[in-house]
Amino acid sequence: LNLDSHDKQSLLALFKEALQQYRCYLRKSHFDGKSINEFPVKSPVLNLEDIEWKTLLCTGLVPRMRYCL
């Protein structure tokens, strides 16, 4: 597979948009309308390990969780 610069930029934009949509889905389905003590500590989705879940929480998936260790 041989991609030129324009193709690579297009794919990168597509993946960034998909990731943003997925993060929005996670936020809406697992955090919106809940208090911090109701947030799942372990990953509720099959394709994310618990450590990946915690990383998402602590890096701003949910603004209220940015103080994580």
Side-chain angles (χ1 to χ4, degrees):
L1 187 62
N2 195 4
L3 300 174
D4 64 16
S5 178
H6 183 265
D7 291 337
K8 289 178 184 177
Q9 291 297 321
S10 297
L11 285 173
L12 183 61
L14 179 69
F15 285 123
K16 282 183 177 182
E17 176 66 23
L19 181 60
Q20 182 179 358
Q21 287 178 0
Y22 186 62
R23 290 171 65 101
C24 183
Y25 159 77
L26 288 174
R27 187 174 50 252
K28 286 181 180 180
S29 62
H30 298 290
F31 304 103
D32 284 357
K34 295 181 181 177
S35 63
I36 289 178
N37 64 339
E38 295 177 300
F39 290 174
V41 177
K42 299 204 179 249
S43 177
V45 291
L46 295 174
N47 62 334
L48 288 176
E49 298 287 331
D50 291 340
I51 190 70
E52 294 171 313
W53 180 255
K54 184 174 181 176
T55 301
L56 278 174
L57 291 178
C58 295
T59 57
L61 176 65
V62 181
R64 296 176 278 172
M65 293 292 289
R66 286 196 179 140
Y67 61 86
C68 287
L69 297 175

